[in-house]
Amino acid sequence: MHAVTRTLDITREVCPMTYVRTKLALEALDEGAVLEVVLRGDEPLKNVPRNAREEGHEVVSLEPRGDGTHRLLLRKQGGA
């Protein structure tokens, strides 16, 4: 289990705000911190992890939850 530093619920957001909110949350964290993102929908499910990887962050896990949402864990990497 990874120690989550912060949780962000973007289930009511639409692209591109889903990643904008995620990016702002990552920027506020220290290097190595883990951000838990709760998301819903095909676009955020595809785009948020991809954009985080492109910015150099680690996608720790992405798993479905029983309520139609997904739980994404991102580890902030330095310099991003």
Side-chain angles (χ1 to χ4, degrees):
M1 180 93 164
H2 300 277
V4 172
T5 306
R6 180 175 173 199
T7 299
L8 176 67
D9 182 342
I10 57 170
T11 56
R12 295 177 183 227
E13 301 289 342
V14 295
C15 288
M17 289 308 295
T18 51
Y19 190 66
V20 170
R21 296 226 186 270
T22 303
K23 181 176 179 170
L24 291 172
L26 283 166
E27 288 174 356
L29 298 177
D30 293 330
E31 180 179 348
V34 175
L35 176 65
E36 175 187 42
V37 183
V38 180
L39 47 91
R40 176 188 313 273
D42 292 336
E43 275 191 87
L45 189 58
K46 179 177 70 174
N47 295 334
V48 173
R50 184 192 69 224
N51 291 339
R53 271 192 214 98
E54 287 174 357
E55 291 197 1
H57 303 293
E58 176 189 354
V59 175
V60 176
S61 67
L62 176 60
E63 54 197 37
R65 300 180 352 155
D67 61 358
T69 64
H70 283 75
R71 178 180 189 243
L72 170 66
L73 294 182
L74 298 172
R75 177 172 283 114
K76 180 176 179 176
Q77 300 300 314

Coordinates of all heavy atoms in Angstrom, one line a residue:
M1 N 0.8 -1.2 0.0 CA 0.0 0.0 0.0 C 0.9 1.2 0.0 O 1.9 1.3 0.7 CB -0.9 0.0 1.2 CG -1.8 1.1 1.3 SD -3.3 0.8 0.7 CE -4.6 0.9 0.3
H2 N 0.5 2.2 -0.8 CA 1.3 3.4 -0.9 C 0.6 4.5 0.0 O -0.6 4.6 0.1 CB 1.3 3.9 -2.3 CG 1.9 3.0 -3.3 ND1 3.3 2.9 -3.4 CD2 1.4 2.0 -4.1 CE1 3.5 1.9 -4.3 NE2 2.4 1.4 -4.7
A3 N 1.5 5.2 0.7 CA 1.0 6.3 1.6 C 0.6 7.5 0.7 O 1.4 8.1 0.0 CB 2.1 6.7 2.5
V4 N -0.7 7.8 0.7 CA -1.3 8.8 -0.1 C -1.1 10.2 0.7 O -1.5 10.3 1.8 CB -2.8 8.6 -0.3 CG1 -3.4 9.8 -1.0 CG2 -3.0 7.3 -1.2
T5 N -0.5 11.1 0.0 CA -0.3 12.5 0.6 C -1.5 13.3 0.5 O -1.9 14.1 1.4 CB 0.9 13.1 -0.1 OG1 2.0 12.3 -0.1 CG2 1.2 14.5 0.5
R6 N -2.2 13.2 -0.7 CA -3.4 14.0 -0.9 C -4.3 13.3 -1.8 O -3.9 12.5 -2.7 CB -3.0 15.4 -1.6 CG -4.1 16.3 -1.9 CD -3.7 17.6 -2.4 NE -4.9 18.4 -2.8 CZ -4.9 19.4 -3.6 NH1 -3.7 19.8 -4.1 NH2 -6.0 20.0 -3.9
T7 N -5.6 13.5 -1.7 CA -6.7 13.0 -2.6 C -7.4 14.1 -3.3 O -7.7 15.1 -2.8 CB -7.7 12.2 -1.7 OG1 -7.0 11.1 -1.1 CG2 -8.8 11.6 -2.6
L8 N -7.6 13.8 -4.6 CA -8.2 14.8 -5.5 C -9.4 14.1 -6.2 O -9.2 13.1 -6.9 CB -7.2 15.3 -6.5 CG -7.7 16.3 -7.6 CD1 -8.2 17.6 -7.0 CD2 -6.7 16.5 -8.6
D9 N -10.6 14.6 -6.1 CA -11.7 14.1 -6.7 C -12.1 14.9 -8.0 O -12.5 16.1 -7.8 CB -12.9 14.0 -5.8 CG -14.2 13.4 -6.4 OD1 -14.3 13.3 -7.6 OD2 -15.1 13.1 -5.6
I10 N -11.9 14.4 -9.1 CA -12.2 15.1 -10.4 C -13.3 14.5 -11.1 O -13.5 14.6 -12.3 CB -10.9 15.2 -11.3 CG1 -10.3 13.9 -11.6 CG2 -9.9 16.1 -10.6 CD1 -9.3 13.9 -12.7
T11 N -14.2 13.7 -10.4 CA -15.3 13.0 -11.1 C -16.3 14.0 -11.7 O -17.0 13.6 -12.6 CB -16.0 12.1 -10.1 OG1 -16.4 12.8 -9.0 CG2 -15.1 11.0 -9.7
R12 N -16.4 15.2 -11.3 CA -17.3 16.2 -11.8 C -16.7 17.1 -12.8 O -17.4 18.0 -13.4 CB -18.0 17.0 -10.7 CG -18.8 16.1 -9.8 CD -19.4 16.9 -8.7 NE -20.1 16.0 -7.8 CZ -21.3 16.2 -7.3 NH1 -21.9 17.3 -7.6 NH2 -21.9 15.3 -6.5
E13 N -15.4 16.9 -13.1 CA -14.7 17.8 -14.1 C -14.8 17.2 -15.4 O -15.0 16.0 -15.6 CB -13.3 18.0 -13.6 CG -13.0 18.6 -12.3 CD -13.4 20.0 -12.2 OE1 -13.5 20.7 -13.3 OE2 -13.6 20.5 -11.1
V14 N -14.6 18.0 -16.5 CA -14.5 17.5 -17.8 C -13.1 18.0 -18.4 O -12.5 18.9 -17.9 CB -15.6 18.1 -18.7 CG1 -16.9 17.5 -18.3 CG2 -15.6 19.6 -18.8
C15 N -12.6 17.3 -19.4 CA -11.4 17.6 -20.0 C -11.5 19.0 -20.7 O -12.6 19.3 -21.2 CB -11.0 16.6 -21.1 SG -10.5 15.0 -20.4
P16 N -10.5 19.8 -20.6 CA -9.1 19.6 -20.1 C -9.0 19.9 -18.6 O -7.9 19.7 -18.1 CB -8.3 20.5 -20.9 CG -9.2 21.7 -21.1 CD -10.6 21.2 -21.2
M17 N -10.1 20.3 -17.9 CA -9.9 20.6 -16.5 C -9.5 19.4 -15.6 O -8.9 19.6 -14.6 CB -11.2 21.2 -16.0 CG -11.5 22.6 -16.5 SD -10.1 23.8 -16.3 CE -10.0 23.9 -14.5
T18 N -9.8 18.2 -16.1 CA -9.4 17.1 -15.3 C -7.9 17.1 -15.1 O -7.4 16.9 -14.0 CB -9.8 15.7 -16.0 OG1 -9.4 15.7 -17.3 CG2 -11.3 15.6 -15.9
Y19 N -7.1 17.3 -16.1 CA -5.7 17.3 -16.0 C -5.2 18.6 -15.4 O -4.2 18.6 -14.6 CB -4.9 16.9 -17.2 CG -3.4 16.7 -16.8 CD1 -3.1 15.6 -16.0 CD2 -2.4 17.6 -17.2 CE1 -1.8 15.4 -15.5 CE2 -1.1 17.4 -16.7 CZ -0.8 16.3 -15.9 OH 0.4 16.2 -15.4
V20 N -5.8 19.7 -15.7 CA -5.4 21.0 -15.1 C -5.4 20.9 -13.6 O -4.5 21.3 -12.9 CB -6.3 22.2 -15.6 CG1 -6.0 23.4 -14.8 CG2 -6.0 22.4 -17.1
R21 N -6.5 20.4 -13.0 CA -6.6 20.2 -11.6 C -5.6 19.2 -11.0 O -5.0 19.4 -10.0 CB -8.0 19.8 -11.2 CG -9.1 20.8 -11.6 CD -10.1 21.0 -10.4 NE -11.1 21.9 -10.8 CZ -11.1 23.2 -10.7 NH1 -10.1 23.8 -10.2 NH2 -12.1 24.0 -11.1
T22 N -5.4 18.2 -11.8 CA -4.4 17.2 -11.3 C -3.0 17.8 -11.3 O -2.2 17.6 -10.4 CB -4.4 15.9 -12.3 OG1 -5.7 15.4 -12.3 CG2 -3.4 14.9 -11.8
K23 N -2.7 18.5 -12.4 CA -1.3 19.2 -12.5 C -1.1 20.2 -11.3 O -0.1 20.2 -10.7 CB -1.2 19.9 -13.8 CG 0.1 20.5 -14.1 CD 0.2 21.1 -15.4 CE 1.6 21.8 -15.6 NZ 1.9 22.2 -16.9
L24 N -2.1 21.0 -11.1 CA -2.0 21.9 -10.0 C -1.8 21.2 -8.6 O -1.0 21.6 -7.8 CB -3.2 22.8 -9.9 CG -3.4 23.8 -11.0 CD1 -4.7 24.5 -11.0 CD2 -2.2 24.8 -11.0
A25 N -2.5 20.1 -8.4 CA -2.3 19.3 -7.2 C -0.9 18.8 -7.1 O -0.3 18.8 -6.0 CB -3.4 18.2 -7.1
L26 N -0.4 18.2 -8.2 CA 0.9 17.7 -8.2 C 2.0 18.8 -7.9 O 2.9 18.6 -7.2 CB 1.2 17.0 -9.5 CG 0.6 15.6 -9.8 CD1 0.7 15.3 -11.2 CD2 1.3 14.6 -8.9
E27 N 1.8 20.0 -8.5 CA 2.7 21.1 -8.3 C 2.8 21.5 -6.8 O 3.8 21.9 -6.3 CB 2.3 22.3 -9.1 CG 2.6 22.1 -10.6 CD 2.1 23.2 -11.5 OE1 1.5 24.1 -11.0 OE2 2.4 23.1 -12.7
A28 N 1.7 21.3 -6.1 CA 1.7 21.7 -4.7 C 2.4 20.6 -3.7 O 2.6 20.9 -2.6 CB 0.3 21.9 -4.2
L29 N 2.7 19.5 -4.3 CA 3.3 18.4 -3.5 C 4.8 18.4 -3.6 O 5.4 18.9 -4.5 CB 2.8 17.0 -4.0 CG 1.3 16.8 -3.9 CD1 0.9 15.4 -4.5 CD2 0.8 16.9 -2.4
D30 N 5.4 17.8 -2.6 CA 6.9 17.6 -2.6 C 7.2 16.4 -3.5 O 6.4 15.5 -3.6 CB 7.4 17.3 -1.2 CG 7.3 18.5 -0.3 OD1 7.3 19.7 -0.8 OD2 7.1 18.3 1.0
E31 N 8.5 16.4 -3.9 CA 8.9 15.2 -4.8 C 8.8 13.9 -4.0 O 9.0 13.9 -2.8 CB 10.4 15.5 -5.1 CG 11.0 14.3 -6.0 CD 12.4 14.6 -6.4 OE1 12.9 15.7 -6.2 OE2 13.0 13.6 -6.8
G32 N 8.3 12.9 -4.6 CA 8.1 11.6 -4.0 C 6.7 11.4 -3.4 O 6.3 10.3 -3.0
A33 N 5.9 12.5 -3.3 CA 4.6 12.4 -2.6 C 3.7 11.7 -3.6 O 3.8 11.7 -4.8 CB 4.1 13.8 -2.3
V34 N 2.6 11.1 -3.0 CA 1.7 10.3 -3.8 C 0.3 11.0 -3.8 O -0.2 11.3 -2.7 CB 1.5 8.9 -3.3 CG1 0.4 8.1 -4.0 CG2 2.8 8.1 -3.4
L35 N -0.2 11.3 -5.0 CA -1.5 11.9 -5.2 C -2.5 10.8 -5.6 O -2.2 10.1 -6.6 CB -1.4 13.0 -6.3 CG -2.7 13.7 -6.6 CD1 -3.3 14.5 -5.5 CD2 -2.5 14.6 -7.8
E36 N -3.6 10.7 -4.9 CA -4.7 9.8 -5.3 C -5.7 10.7 -6.0 O -6.1 11.7 -5.5 CB -5.3 9.3 -4.0 CG -6.5 8.4 -4.3 CD -7.3 8.0 -3.1 OE1 -7.4 8.8 -2.1 OE2 -7.7 6.8 -3.0
V37 N -6.0 10.2 -7.3 CA -7.0 11.0 -8.1 C -8.2 10.0 -8.3 O -8.0 8.9 -8.8 CB -6.3 11.4 -9.4 CG1 -7.3 12.2 -10.3 CG2 -5.1 12.2 -9.2
V38 N -9.3 10.5 -8.0 CA -10.6 9.7 -8.3 C -11.2 10.3 -9.5 O -11.4 11.6 -9.6 CB -11.5 9.8 -7.1 CG1 -12.8 9.0 -7.4 CG2 -10.9 9.3 -5.8
L39 N -11.3 9.5 -10.6 CA -11.8 10.1 -11.8 C -12.9 9.2 -12.4 O -13.1 8.0 -12.0 CB -10.7 10.2 -12.8 CG -9.7 9.1 -13.0 CD1 -10.1 8.2 -14.1 CD2 -8.3 9.7 -13.3
R40 N -13.6 9.7 -13.4 CA -14.8 9.0 -14.0 C -14.8 9.4 -15.5 O -14.5 10.6 -15.9 CB -16.1 9.5 -13.4 CG -17.3 8.9 -14.0 CD -18.6 9.5 -13.5 NE -18.7 9.6 -12.1 CZ -19.1 8.6 -11.3 NH1 -19.5 7.5 -11.8 NH2 -19.2 8.8 -10.0
G41 N -15.0 8.4 -16.4 CA -15.2 8.7 -17.8 C -14.0 8.3 -18.6 O -12.9 8.2 -18.1
D42 N -14.3 8.0 -19.9 CA -13.2 7.5 -20.8 C -12.1 8.5 -21.0 O -10.9 8.1 -21.0 CB -13.8 7.1 -22.1 CG -14.7 5.9 -22.0 OD1 -14.6 5.1 -21.0 OD2 -15.6 5.7 -22.8
E43 N -12.4 9.8 -21.3 CA -11.4 10.7 -21.6 C -10.4 10.9 -20.4 O -9.2 10.8 -20.6 CB -12.0 12.1 -22.0 CG -12.3 12.1 -23.5 CD -12.7 13.5 -23.9 OE1 -11.7 14.3 -24.2 OE2 -13.8 13.9 -23.9
P44 N -10.9 11.2 -19.2 CA -10.0 11.4 -18.1 C -9.2 10.1 -17.8 O -8.0 10.2 -17.5 CB -10.9 11.7 -16.9 CG -12.1 12.2 -17.5 CD -12.3 11.5 -18.8
L45 N -9.8 9.0 -18.0 CA -9.1 7.7 -17.8 C -8.0 7.5 -18.7 O -6.9 6.9 -18.3 CB -10.2 6.5 -17.9 CG -9.7 5.1 -17.5 CD1 -9.3 5.1 -16.1 CD2 -10.9 4.2 -17.8
K46 N -8.1 8.0 -19.9 CA -7.0 7.9 -20.9 C -6.0 9.0 -20.8 O -4.8 8.8 -20.8 CB -7.6 7.9 -22.3 CG -6.6 7.8 -23.4 CD -7.3 7.8 -24.8 CE -8.0 9.1 -25.1 NZ -8.6 9.1 -26.4
N47 N -6.5 10.3 -20.6 CA -5.7 11.5 -20.7 C -4.9 11.8 -19.4 O -3.8 12.2 -19.5 CB -6.5 12.7 -21.1 CG -7.1 12.5 -22.5 OD1 -6.6 11.8 -23.3 ND2 -8.2 13.2 -22.7
V48 N -5.5 11.6 -18.3 CA -4.8 12.0 -17.0 C -3.6 11.2 -16.8 O -2.5 11.8 -16.6 CB -5.8 12.0 -15.8 CG1 -5.0 12.3 -14.5 CG2 -6.9 13.1 -16.0
P49 N -3.6 9.9 -16.9 CA -2.4 9.1 -16.7 C -1.3 9.4 -17.8 O -0.1 9.5 -17.5 CB -2.8 7.7 -16.7 CG -4.3 7.7 -16.5 CD -4.8 9.0 -17.0
R50 N -1.8 9.5 -19.0 CA -0.9 9.8 -20.1 C -0.2 11.2 -19.9 O 1.1 11.3 -20.0 CB -1.6 9.8 -21.5 CG -0.6 10.0 -22.6 CD -1.3 10.3 -23.9 NE -1.9 11.6 -23.9 CZ -3.2 11.9 -24.3 NH1 -3.9 11.0 -24.8 NH2 -3.6 13.1 -24.2
N51 N -0.9 12.2 -19.6 CA -0.3 13.5 -19.4 C 0.6 13.5 -18.2 O 1.7 14.2 -18.3 CB -1.4 14.6 -19.2 CG -2.2 14.8 -20.5 OD1 -1.7 14.6 -21.6 ND2 -3.4 15.4 -20.3
A52 N 0.3 12.8 -17.1 CA 1.2 12.8 -16.0 C 2.5 12.1 -16.4 O 3.6 12.6 -16.0 CB 0.5 12.0 -14.8
R53 N 2.4 11.0 -17.1 CA 3.6 10.3 -17.6 C 4.5 11.2 -18.5 O 5.7 11.3 -18.3 CB 3.3 9.0 -18.4 CG 3.1 7.8 -17.6 CD 3.1 6.6 -18.5 NE 2.2 5.6 -17.8 CZ 0.9 5.4 -18.1 NH1 0.3 6.1 -19.1 NH2 0.2 4.5 -17.5
E54 N 3.8 11.9 -19.4 CA 4.5 12.8 -20.3 C 5.3 13.9 -19.5 O 6.3 14.4 -20.0 CB 3.6 13.4 -21.3 CG 3.1 12.5 -22.3 CD 2.0 13.0 -23.3 OE1 1.6 14.2 -23.1 OE2 1.6 12.3 -24.2
E55 N 4.7 14.3 -18.4 CA 5.4 15.3 -17.5 C 6.4 14.7 -16.6 O 7.0 15.4 -15.8 CB 4.4 16.2 -16.8 CG 3.5 17.0 -17.8 CD 2.8 18.1 -17.1 OE1 2.9 18.3 -15.8 OE2 2.1 18.8 -17.8
G56 N 6.6 13.4 -16.7 CA 7.7 12.8 -15.9 C 7.3 12.2 -14.6 O 8.1 11.7 -13.8
H57 N 6.0 12.2 -14.3 CA 5.5 11.6 -13.0 C 5.3 10.1 -13.2 O 5.1 9.6 -14.3 CB 4.2 12.3 -12.6 CG 4.3 13.7 -12.4 ND1 5.1 14.3 -11.4 CD2 3.8 14.8 -13.1 CE1 5.0 15.6 -11.5 NE2 4.3 15.9 -12.5
E58 N 5.3 9.4 -12.1 CA 5.1 7.9 -12.1 C 3.7 7.6 -11.9 O 3.0 8.0 -10.9 CB 6.0 7.3 -11.0 CG 5.8 5.8 -10.9 CD 6.4 5.2 -9.7 OE1 7.2 5.9 -9.0 OE2 6.2 4.0 -9.5
V59 N 3.1 6.8 -12.8 CA 1.8 6.2 -12.5 C 2.0 4.9 -11.7 O 2.5 3.9 -12.2 CB 1.0 5.9 -13.9 CG1 -0.3 5.2 -13.6 CG2 0.8 7.2 -14.7
V60 N 1.6 5.0 -10.4 CA 1.8 3.9 -9.5 C 0.8 2.8 -9.7 O 1.1 1.6 -9.8 CB 1.8 4.4 -8.0 CG1 1.9 3.2 -7.1 CG2 2.9 5.5 -7.8
S61 N -0.5 3.2 -9.9 CA -1.5 2.3 -10.1 C -2.8 3.0 -10.7 O -2.9 4.2 -10.5 CB -1.9 1.5 -8.9 OG -2.5 2.3 -7.9
L62 N -3.6 2.2 -11.4 CA -4.9 2.7 -11.9 C -5.8 1.5 -11.7 O -5.6 0.5 -12.4 CB -4.8 3.1 -13.3 CG -6.1 3.5 -14.0 CD1 -6.7 4.7 -13.3 CD2 -5.8 3.9 -15.5
E63 N -6.8 1.7 -10.9 CA -7.7 0.5 -10.7 C -9.2 1.0 -10.6 O -9.5 2.1 -10.1 CB -7.4 -0.2 -9.4 CG -7.3 0.7 -8.2 CD -6.5 0.1 -7.0 OE1 -5.5 -0.6 -7.2 OE2 -6.9 0.4 -5.9
P64 N -10.1 0.2 -11.2 CA -11.5 0.5 -11.1 C -12.0 0.3 -9.7 O -11.6 -0.5 -8.9 CB -12.2 -0.5 -12.0 CG -11.2 -1.6 -12.1 CD -9.8 -1.1 -11.9
R65 N -13.0 1.1 -9.4 CA -13.7 1.0 -8.1 C -15.1 0.5 -8.4 O -15.6 0.6 -9.6 CB -13.7 2.4 -7.3 CG -12.3 2.8 -7.0 CD -12.2 4.1 -6.3 NE -13.3 4.9 -6.1 CZ -13.4 5.8 -5.1 NH1 -12.5 6.0 -4.3 NH2 -14.5 6.5 -5.0
G66 N -15.9 0.1 -7.5 CA -17.2 -0.5 -7.7 C -18.3 0.4 -8.1 O -19.4 0.0 -8.5
D67 N -18.0 1.7 -8.1 CA -19.1 2.7 -8.3 C -18.9 3.4 -9.7 O -19.5 4.5 -9.9 CB -19.0 3.8 -7.2 CG -17.7 4.5 -7.1 OD1 -16.8 4.2 -7.9 OD2 -17.6 5.4 -6.3
G68 N -18.2 2.9 -10.6 CA -18.0 3.5 -11.9 C -16.9 4.5 -12.0 O -16.6 5.0 -13.0
T69 N -16.2 4.7 -10.9 CA -15.0 5.6 -10.9 C -13.7 4.7 -10.9 O -13.8 3.5 -10.7 CB -15.0 6.5 -9.7 OG1 -14.9 5.7 -8.5 CG2 -16.3 7.4 -9.6
H70 N -12.6 5.4 -11.1 CA -11.3 4.8 -11.0 C -10.4 5.5 -10.0 O -10.6 6.7 -9.8 CB -10.6 4.8 -12.4 CG -11.1 3.8 -13.3 ND1 -12.4 3.9 -14.0 CD2 -10.7 2.6 -13.8 CE1 -12.6 2.9 -14.8 NE2 -11.6 2.1 -14.6
R71 N -9.5 4.8 -9.4 CA -8.5 5.3 -8.5 C -7.2 5.3 -9.1 O -6.7 4.2 -9.5 CB -8.5 4.5 -7.2 CG -7.5 5.0 -6.2 CD -7.6 4.1 -4.9 NE -6.8 4.6 -3.9 CZ -5.8 4.0 -3.3 NH1 -5.4 2.8 -3.8 NH2 -5.1 4.5 -2.3
L72 N -6.6 6.5 -9.3 CA -5.3 6.6 -9.9 C -4.3 7.1 -8.9 O -4.6 8.1 -8.2 CB -5.4 7.6 -11.1 CG -4.1 8.1 -11.7 CD1 -3.4 7.0 -12.4 CD2 -4.4 9.3 -12.7
L73 N -3.2 6.4 -8.7 CA -2.1 6.9 -7.8 C -1.0 7.4 -8.7 O -0.4 6.7 -9.5 CB -1.7 5.8 -6.9 CG -2.6 5.3 -5.9 CD1 -2.0 4.2 -5.0 CD2 -3.2 6.4 -5.0
L74 N -0.6 8.6 -8.4 CA 0.6 9.3 -9.1 C 1.6 9.6 -8.1 O 1.3 10.2 -7.0 CB 0.1 10.5 -9.8 CG -0.9 10.4 -10.9 CD1 -1.4 11.8 -11.4 CD2 -0.4 9.6 -12.1
R75 N 2.9 9.4 -8.4 CA 4.0 9.8 -7.6 C 4.7 10.9 -8.3 O 5.1 10.8 -9.4 CB 5.0 8.7 -7.3 CG 6.2 9.1 -6.5 CD 7.1 8.0 -6.0 NE 6.5 7.3 -4.9 CZ 6.1 6.0 -5.0 NH1 6.2 5.3 -6.1 NH2 5.6 5.5 -3.9
K76 N 4.8 12.1 -7.5 CA 5.5 13.2 -8.1 C 7.0 13.0 -8.3 O 7.6 12.6 -7.3 CB 5.2 14.5 -7.3 CG 5.9 15.7 -7.8 CD 5.6 16.9 -7.1 CE 6.3 18.1 -7.7 NZ 5.9 19.4 -7.0
Q77 N 7.4 13.3 -9.4 CA 8.9 13.1 -9.7 C 9.5 14.5 -9.7 O 8.8 15.5 -10.1 CB 9.1 12.4 -11.0 CG 8.5 11.0 -11.1 CD 9.1 10.1 -10.0 OE1 10.3 10.0 -9.8 NE2 8.2 9.4 -9.3
G78 N 10.7 14.6 -9.4 CA 11.5 15.9 -9.3 C 11.6 16.5 -10.7 O 11.6 15.9 -11.7
G79 N 11.6 17.8 -10.7 CA 11.8 18.6 -11.9 C 10.6 18.7 -12.7 O 10.6 19.4 -13.8
A80 N 9.5 18.2 -12.3 CA 8.2 18.3 -13.1 C 7.2 19.1 -12.4 O 7.3 19.4 -11.2 CB 7.6 16.9 -13.3

